[in-house]
Amino acid sequence: MANRKKCLVLGFLVFLWADLDTQAEEKKEEQTCRLLGKFDLNGYVDAKNHTIVVGGLFPIHSRTIPANESVLEPVSAKCEGFNFRGFRWMKTMIHTIKEINEREDILPNTTLGYQIFDTCFTISKAMESALVFLTGQEENKPNIRNSTGAYLAGIIGSGGSSLSIAASRILGLYYLPQVGYFSSCSSLSDKFQFPSYIRTIASDQHQSKAMVQLIQHFGWVWVGTIAADDDYGKYGVKTFKDQMEKANLCIAFSETIPKVYSNEKMQKAVKAVRSSTARVIVLYASDIDLSPFVLEMVYHNITDRTWIASEAWITSALIAKPEYFPYFGGSIGFAIPRSDIPGLKEFLYDVHPSKDPSDVLTIEFWQTAFNCTWPNSSVPYNVDHRVNMTGKEDRLYAMSDKFCTGGEKLEELNNTYLDVSQLRITNNVKQAVYAMAHALDQLSRCEEGRGPFLPGSSCAYLPDFEPWQLMYYVKMVRFITHDGKIVHFNVNGDVEGHYDIINWQLDENGEIAFVKIGEYIFDNKKFELVFKKNSTIFWNTKSSGLPHSVCTDVCPPGTRKGIRQGEPICCFDCIPCADGHVSERAGQRECDQCGEDYWSNEQKSMCVLKEVEFLAYDEALGFTLLILSIFGALVVLAVMIVYMIYRQTPLVNANDRELSFLIQVSLIITVLSSVLFIGKPYNWSCMARQVTLALGFSLCLSSTLGKTISLFFAYRISISKTRFTFMHPFFRKIIVLVSVLVEVGICIAYLVLQPPRVYKNMESQNIKIILECNEGSIEFLCSLFGIDAFLAFLCFLTTFVARQLPDNYYEGKCITFGMLVFFIVWISFVPAYLSTKGKFKVAVEIFAILASSYGLLGCIFAPKCFIILLRPKRNTDETVGGRVPTVDRSIQLTSASVSSELNNTTVSTVLDE
């Protein structure tokens, strides 16, 4: 019995222990399943009695309230800064879903519901909303599990690139379709990172190209950039910089606008704008992020800038306020094409807090719009916890003492929510909802056996489908909008179409008008910037003209760009072109070399024909030398006439009259040959000048040599006291003939083998072409004048030896002086000729020719002409000299008396005919 009791007690204890353990496990399980906390999310939900629910993410507020640093435990932040624009987008989604539910051609047996959350334009709220969509619960510490998609079809949003990127990284894990309407960041086109994201707004890749083309169109090369410190701004500016680099344009500065206000970062951006020479600045930011920067521009009174706006703020009423026009007026940007949405205006006006007292967003909208407090409401409005421009934190709770009556009229409001004149992003929201609806419609119409899925060409069915199955139809969707436009997506999930080019101008009422001045068309084959004809652009400059935005002004013609080390290519120095080089167009990187017949003008802006230099007849030097040549020829001709008239006189007959005539003829040739050196050279004149001169001197000097040999023999007779062998005049003629024939032979060989040619001398002077004669063969030329020099040397030697032969008139001394003048002139000619250039070189040679010719003429014939014309009484045989018997050796011989005939026994050095 005792043992039985023990067993019962033991059994009871085991049961009690088991019961306690079960209760502990149940308690533990209860604790595990309990919601530990909820996200602080606001929005709208209408999911009852609907087959499919479409999620929505919209920035109904512009920011979150900073966390209280004294609270260590993380909590879901609250939002502030009511955004009328985002509120309108959200209302547009609701309006579009109701419109689709009323249509019979789309999802005829299915109705759509919606679940919409406020992202507060922050990544954290977008992530919280995405987690709620996936878990189906509002847990802030979720045990993430994949929703089978029985009710939630996809998401519309988020309202901003950074928000969409954050949400898509989570939603993309489950391939849950996400259709964006405002996120244009180019990185979202990457389907490897964001496989389930598509959008009804164009990628910033197109917008960046459009901005660069716009800059090129207006001739700007020096541009600054300001970007929001988020994915939209950073990726947008990065793409813009890449396009600028390809176009050889320059970035003056690149600054960011902080998402969370930082006075240091903001002042850095302001300083960059104020100090830079760039007058054109690209602003890549949303209107919400841009607002503090706009206030800074107003505070610092920075004007005279032209802003190139991205699509995120160009048509935003938050920025486009009349009080900002002096600072941002004339902005040019790219906007989403506008559209009119039937019925939307009436739907937007159908809002009132009394319809749903729990609708905190509508209450906040009403309080913010009319600046009043709704009765029995604790909903705050007009709250701003941001840091102001002084660096201090503002905590403003602008709760009005005036209570809302509910009778306020929306028609009297003038805010963004009710403005349906610029429905651009709003229209994208409508298209995003329709894209989701059309995809669901196509999925619902699938016929078994003809479906796109494996195995067996199967179909998906409403409401039982996987997210990836709907995503297939979303990517393939193609539909026509209410305004007749076709919407479809490319392989990257982007749309194609065009941007409107908008210019900010003031209308008659002093309000900012978004004036369309053109379009940027983009598709697979066409990227074109088109401006409207006769469109007027307002420029916010001091001159109201086209802004001038360059680092360095374009180098004018005549200069080239000189790169500044370590600076952008748009910053350069304008370096004058070197001599002989020009830049005909402004902004040339290199100067072009002129052709060989051209030279740069004084401004180095064009090539002009070089000045052709030669000794011309019409210039003073050439004309003077020509007169001297003609005068010399006339003097020689006068001497010849005198000799012809007095040819029978003893003085003319003395020492071979024929040789005297030959010398006179040769002097005429040499003097007139100098005329060939004057004027523009030609090939024939180059060949004639040196040959004529050489032959003239050869004839002159060989004839003179005939005379000097006679004197030499006379001197030999006078000192030897012996009978001298007779020298017939024929042999003197032979000397002349042989000398001239040798010279002629060399001249012929010279002209046949290596004749002189006209030569353009461009080495001596760059700015001139010196037309001169290239003498061809120096060897032939030296041979020609070498013979003349040899004959001159023989003449001088024979006359110098016979210089002491006594006579009343001594011709030998005259010839000696003539030869000395000849040598002095030509020896002086050599260094003078080599040290001069151009036409003066020719002038030196002509001067040498004339000087030597005048010297020979003066020394040989001037004394005789003096006696013939002025002292005729001395022109007798007795004075000049007579015959002397050779047997009487005591009588001295003279140059004139040493004459003989063959039948007399006298010897003469000069035989008369």
Side-chain angles (χ1 to χ4, degrees):
M1 189 68 179
N3 291 333
R4 185 176 179 183
K5 288 182 178 180
K6 289 180 179 180
C7 288
L8 289 174
V9 171
L10 182 62
F12 176 77
L13 290 174
V14 170
F15 175 79
L16 180 62
W17 178 263
D19 183 64
L20 290 174
D21 186 61
T22 301
Q23 291 181 5
E25 288 182 358
E26 289 178 354
K27 184 176 182 181
K28 182 178 180 181
E29 182 178 358
E30 181 181 358
Q31 290 179 350
T32 302
C33 296
R34 181 176 59 87
L35 291 177
L36 300 179
K38 289 186 177 183
F39 292 128
D40 191 342
L41 295 175
N42 292 318
Y44 292 90
V45 179
D46 182 13
K48 294 182 179 180
N49 302 321
H50 296 293
T51 309
I52 301 295
V53 171
V54 177
L57 298 175
F58 294 92
I60 302 175
H61 288 85
S62 58
R63 59 188 176 273
T64 57
I65 299 175
N68 190 345
E69 297 180 357
S70 61
V71 179
L72 299 179
E73 183 181 359
V75 295
S76 181
K78 294 184 178 294
C79 301
E80 65 179 10
F82 196 83
N83 182 10
F84 290 102
R85 197 182 187 195
F87 193 62
R88 185 183 66 203
W89 296 343
M90 180 271 298
K91 286 290 187 177
T92 302
M93 176 178 174
I94 297 174
H95 171 263
T96 305
I97 289 178
K98 289 184 176 181
E99 180 181 291
I100 292 172
N101 288 336
E102 294 173 358
R103 294 180 58 169
E104 297 182 357
D105 56 334
I106 301 178
L107 299 172
N109 300 319
T110 304
T111 59
L112 297 178
Y114 54 83
Q115 184 179 20
I116 300 174
F117 290 118
D118 177 14
T119 63
C120 302
F121 204 66
T122 57
I123 295 177
S124 59
K125 286 298 178 182
M127 294 288 286
E128 290 177 4
S129 302
L131 291 174
V132 170
F133 282 132
L134 289 174
T135 61
Q137 301 184 52
E138 298 180 4
E139 298 181 36
N140 60 2
K141 296 180 181 179
N143 178 19
I144 297 179
R145 61 183 182 276
N146 179 19
S147 175
T148 60
Y151 294 103
L152 181 64
I155 308 296
I156 307 298
S158 301
S161 295
S162 295
L163 282 62
S164 293
I165 289 173
S168 185
R169 291 193 185 279
I170 294 178
L171 300 176
L173 294 174
Y174 305 99
Y175 224 64
L176 187 67
Q178 182 181 2
V179 184
Y181 55 87
F182 189 51
S183 305
S184 57
C185 181
S186 58
S187 65
L188 287 167
S189 298
D190 186 353
K191 296 301 103 179
F192 180 79
Q193 296 188 66
F194 310 102
S196 64
Y197 186 86
I198 64 171
R199 52 188 166 183
T200 57
I201 188 172
S203 169
D204 283 337
Q205 188 77 27
H206 300 301
Q207 184 170 211
S208 297
K209 289 181 180 179
M211 286 180 174
V212 173
Q213 288 191 27
L214 182 74
I215 291 169
Q216 289 178 309
H217 175 80
F218 290 114
W220 301 320
V221 296
W222 187 237
V223 180
T225 64
I226 300 289
D229 191 16
D230 58 11
D231 293 300
Y232 173 71
K234 291 179 180 178
Y235 279 100
V237 167
K238 178 181 180 299
T239 306
F240 173 75
K241 288 180 178 179
D242 293 340
Q243 296 298 325
M244 287 283 284
E245 185 177 353
K246 291 179 182 178
N248 291 324
L249 302 176
C250 301
I251 301 297
F253 61 87
S254 184
E255 298 295 337
T256 57
I257 301 173
K259 294 285 287 185
V260 178
Y261 188 88
S262 167
N263 188 60
E264 180 183 355
K265 294 181 180 179
M266 188 66 76
Q267 295 309 315
K268 183 181 178 183
V270 172
K271 182 180 178 181
V273 174
R274 184 168 48 191
S275 61
S276 176
T277 57
R279 288 296 178 266
V280 177
I281 304 170
V282 172
L283 266 177
Y284 245 114
S286 66
D287 54 349
I288 295 174
D289 292 329
L290 190 59
S291 294
F293 180 77
V294 172
L295 295 176
E296 292 285 351
M297 293 294 103
V298 175
Y299 179 78
H300 292 280
N301 194 29
I302 298 177
T303 58
D304 194 27
R305 300 296 189 278
T306 296
W307 306 90
I308 298 180
S310 64
E311 93 294 337
W313 69 272
I314 185 62
T315 57
S316 171
L318 183 65
I319 308 298
K321 297 178 180 180
E323 56 267 30
Y324 298 156
F325 191 81
Y327 312 94
F328 287 85
S331 296
I332 294 181
F334 298 88
I336 306 302
R338 69 171 297 278
S339 179
D340 294 320
I341 300 178
L344 178 62
K345 183 177 181 179
E346 293 75 12
F347 182 80
L348 294 177
Y349 275 90
D350 187 20
V351 59
H352 200 278
S354 61
K355 291 185 176 181
D356 186 0
S358 63
D359 186 355
V360 295
L361 292 178
T362 300
I363 293 174
E364 186 177 357
F365 161 75
W366 199 270
Q367 293 182 146
T368 306
F370 295 104
N371 192 25
C372 61
T373 302
W374 190 257
N376 301 322
S377 171
S378 61
V379 178
Y381 63 98
N382 289 341
V383 180
D384 193 347
H385 287 79
R386 292 176 296 178
V387 178
N388 61 20
M389 289 186 291
T390 64
K392 297 180 180 180
E393 184 178 351
D394 286 337
R395 294 183 180 273
L396 301 178
Y397 293 86
M399 299 290 287
S400 175
D401 294 334
K402 183 181 70 173
F403 285 96
C404 302
T405 64
E408 293 83 5
K409 296 182 178 180
L410 292 174
E411 291 80 2
E412 297 176 356
L413 286 179
N414 182 20
N415 64 16
T416 308
Y417 172 73
L418 298 174
D419 183 10
V420 293
S421 62
Q422 298 290 331
L423 298 181
R424 300 176 186 272
I425 305 300
T426 304
N427 189 51
N428 283 355
V429 174
K430 181 180 180 69
Q431 293 177 5
V433 176
Y434 262 99
M436 188 72 71
H438 279 283
L440 289 168
D441 184 64
Q442 292 295 320
L443 184 147
S444 66
R445 297 177 185 274
C446 178
E447 297 181 8
E448 191 63 34
R450 296 183 179 180
F453 308 116
L454 295 176
S457 299
S458 59
C459 294
Y461 300 97
L462 295 179
D464 186 17
F465 62 86
E466 296 292 335
W468 61 267
Q469 292 176 321
L470 177 60
M471 191 63 209
Y472 169 82
Y473 289 102
V474 172
K475 290 190 296 184
M476 301 298 292
V477 76
R478 184 184 183 93
F479 63 94
I480 300 176
T481 64
H482 65 281
D483 52 359
K485 296 179 181 179
I486 299 176
V487 176
H488 65 92
F489 306 100
N490 59 22
V491 293
N492 296 321
D494 300 328
V495 293
E496 297 171 350
H498 73 274
Y499 289 112
D500 288 343
I501 304 176
I502 301 299
N503 178 229
W504 279 16
Q505 302 180 17
L506 280 180
D507 60 15
E508 297 176 353
N509 300 321
E511 299 292 333
I512 294 180
F514 306 129
V515 179
K516 181 178 177 180
I517 59 174
E519 292 182 350
Y520 178 74
I521 304 171
F522 55 91
D523 54 32
N524 290 329
K525 300 180 180 179
K526 188 176 183 181
F527 300 90
E528 184 179 4
L529 197 68
V530 180
F531 284 91
K532 295 172 64 176
K533 293 182 179 179
N534 302 321
S535 60
T536 302
I537 302 177
F538 174 79
W539 299 112
N540 191 22
T541 58
K542 294 179 181 179
S543 62
S544 298
L546 181 69
H548 186 64
S549 186
V550 296
C551 178
T552 306
D553 286 325
V554 178
C555 291
T559 61
R560 66 174 179 85
K561 293 181 179 179
I563 298 175
R564 294 179 183 173
Q565 194 68 27
E567 295 190 29
I569 61 173
C570 299
C571 300
F572 47 82
D573 297 316
C574 294
I575 302 173
C577 293
D579 292 337
H581 293 71
V582 298
S583 59
E584 297 180 349
R585 301 179 308 277
Q588 285 191 212
R589 296 182 63 87
E590 298 293 338
C591 298
D592 302 320
Q593 186 174 3
C594 295
E596 63 176 12
D597 292 340
Y598 293 84
W599 194 250
S600 54
N601 61 356
E602 186 177 354
Q603 295 77 22
K604 309 294 179 61
S605 59
M606 63 181 300
C607 292
V608 295
L609 282 170
K610 289 182 179 180
E611 179 185 349
V612 179
E613 181 180 277
F614 55 87
L615 189 60
Y617 294 106
D618 55 357
E619 59 179 295
L621 181 58
F623 184 73
T624 302
L625 295 175
L626 177 63
I627 294 300
L628 291 175
S629 300
I630 297 174
F631 177 74
L634 292 176
V635 172
V636 177
L637 186 60
V639 172
M640 185 180 290
I641 292 173
V642 171
Y643 264 59
M644 289 293 294
I645 295 173
Y646 297 95
R647 63 183 177 278
Q648 300 302 331
T649 61
L651 194 60
V652 175
N653 286 325
N655 204 6
D656 205 327
R657 181 180 62 195
E658 288 77 10
L659 290 179
S660 296
F661 281 115
L662 286 177
I663 292 174
Q664 292 165 8
V665 171
S666 66
L667 288 176
I668 292 176
I669 294 173
T670 55
V671 169
L672 291 179
S673 68
S674 63
V675 178
L676 296 173
F677 288 82
I678 306 173
K680 185 177 180 179
Y682 296 96
N683 287 334
W684 66 267
S685 63
C686 289
M687 291 187 288
R689 61 170 64 172
Q690 300 292 1
V691 171
T692 303
L693 179 62
L695 291 176
F697 275 132
S698 177
L699 179 60
C700 176
L701 294 171
S702 62
S703 300
T704 306
L705 181 62
K707 284 178 173 287
T708 59
I709 288 178
S710 298
L711 297 176
F712 175 76
F713 284 142
Y715 174 73
R716 293 291 296 173
I717 292 172
S718 67
I719 64 172
S720 63
K721 306 298 182 181
T722 59
R723 184 181 180 84
F724 189 70
T725 305
F726 168 75
M727 185 177 183
H728 196 278
F730 175 74
F731 292 106
R732 282 173 270 174
K733 308 299 188 296
I734 290 297
I735 291 174
V736 175
L737 180 62
V738 171
S739 299
V740 172
L741 286 177
V742 172
E743 194 81 359
V744 169
I746 297 176
C747 288
I748 292 173
Y750 180 31
L751 296 177
V752 171
L753 298 178
Q754 287 183 305
R757 290 286 185 268
V758 176
Y759 169 65
K760 294 180 179 180
N761 186 352
M762 301 179 186
E763 292 79 18
S764 299
Q765 297 186 50
N766 291 329
I767 62 175
K768 294 181 180 179
I769 298 175
I770 301 175
L771 279 183
E772 56 187 19
C773 292
N774 183 357
E775 305 303 344
S777 173
I778 300 298
E779 292 79 7
F780 276 117
L781 193 65
C782 291
S783 300
L784 285 177
F785 291 101
I787 292 176
D788 292 338
F790 178 70
L791 292 174
F793 177 74
L794 289 180
C795 291
F796 175 75
L797 184 64
T798 54
T799 56
F800 182 78
V801 171
R803 71 188 182 282
Q804 296 179 353
L805 189 64
D807 201 347
N808 295 326
Y809 165 69
Y810 185 33
E811 187 179 27
K813 291 182 179 180
C814 295
I815 295 176
T816 300
F817 280 113
M819 290 299 103
L820 285 174
V821 171
F822 185 86
F823 279 121
I824 290 171
V825 169
W826 286 104
I827 291 173
S828 303
F829 159 77
V830 173
Y833 183 80
L834 295 177
S835 62
T836 54
K837 298 178 180 179
K839 60 184 179 181
F840 300 103
K841 198 171 187 179
V842 179
V844 168
E845 188 170 0
I846 296 174
F847 177 78
I849 295 170
L850 294 177
S852 59
S853 300
Y854 275 105
L856 291 175
L857 177 64
C859 292
I860 296 176
F861 295 104
K864 288 187 177 183
C865 290
F866 177 78
I867 295 173
I868 292 171
L869 297 176
L870 300 179
R871 301 289 187 270
K873 293 181 180 181
R874 295 178 59 183
N875 189 8
T876 61
D877 291 333
E878 291 77 10
T879 303
V880 175
R883 297 178 181 176
V884 179
T886 57
V887 292
D888 189 358
R889 296 177 183 274
S890 63
I891 302 175
Q892 289 184 336
L893 296 175
T894 67
S895 62
S897 65
V898 183
S899 58
S900 66
E901 298 175 2
L902 287 173
N903 55 352
N904 292 336
T905 58
T906 59
V907 180
S908 177
T909 57
V910 181
L911 297 178
D912 298 330
E913 291 184 354

